[in-house]
Amino acid sequence: MKKSMLLKRILQKGGVRLVYTALLLFYAFRRKDVPSWAKAIVIGVIGYLVSPIDAIPDLTPIIGYTDDLGLLSYALVMIAGYINEDVRKNARQRLYKILGNDIRASDMEAVEKVL
């Protein structure tokens, strides 16, 4: 599955904030100085996120996405020390590339508060 298709699927599941968090994890994963334990966390979380089997079904309104966002947030906290300005910049650029003009100002304000 292409990366942009994967991100669009995540966007449909949980919104701009969820995609931005996933992008932060992805670009942190790509850094060479990130230890293997942190990379294992990222792989596990992204794998869970795109898995068709969730702990709480995503068909349940609102509650269905809280496990996804909670798990992404947990992973983000665990590897926060490896998310620098370069990772944030790359994540924002990719988000704009994927969504283009579909990003609202309120969505970007929420994105900037992620980390």
Side-chain angles (χ1 to χ4, degrees):
M1 184 182 296
K2 292 171 79 175
K3 284 186 244 178
S4 60
M5 290 176 63
L6 173 64
L7 292 173
K8 285 183 182 181
R9 182 173 168 204
I10 295 169
L11 177 65
Q12 289 170 347
K13 281 179 80 173
V16 174
R17 189 172 185 175
L18 191 72
V19 172
Y20 181 66
T21 304
L23 285 168
L24 286 172
L25 292 173
F26 172 74
Y27 283 109
F29 176 86
R30 293 182 63 191
R31 289 183 57 188
K32 295 197 185 316
D33 62 336
V34 173
S36 58
W37 65 264
K39 289 185 178 197
I41 289 172
V42 173
I43 289 171
V45 168
I46 298 297
Y48 175 82
L49 188 64
V50 298
S51 171
I53 301 171
D54 272 345
I56 301 173
D58 292 336
L59 299 175
T60 309
I62 300 171
I63 296 172
Y65 300 114
T66 57
D67 64 321
D68 297 335
L69 188 56
L71 196 57
L72 277 170
S73 298
Y74 173 76
L76 199 59
V77 168
M78 292 296 295
I79 68 161
Y82 301 102
I83 297 175
N84 59 14
E85 188 54 40
D86 190 43
V87 169
R88 284 188 211 79
K89 184 182 98 182
N90 288 334
R92 280 191 302 268
Q93 285 175 344
R94 177 62 75 171
L95 189 64
Y96 280 120
K97 187 174 182 180
I98 293 168
L99 298 179
N101 295 330
D102 293 337
I103 300 177
R104 297 181 306 226
S106 61
D107 289 337
M108 282 314 295
E109 286 175 17
V111 160
E112 294 301 324
K113 293 179 183 178
V114 168
L115 187 67

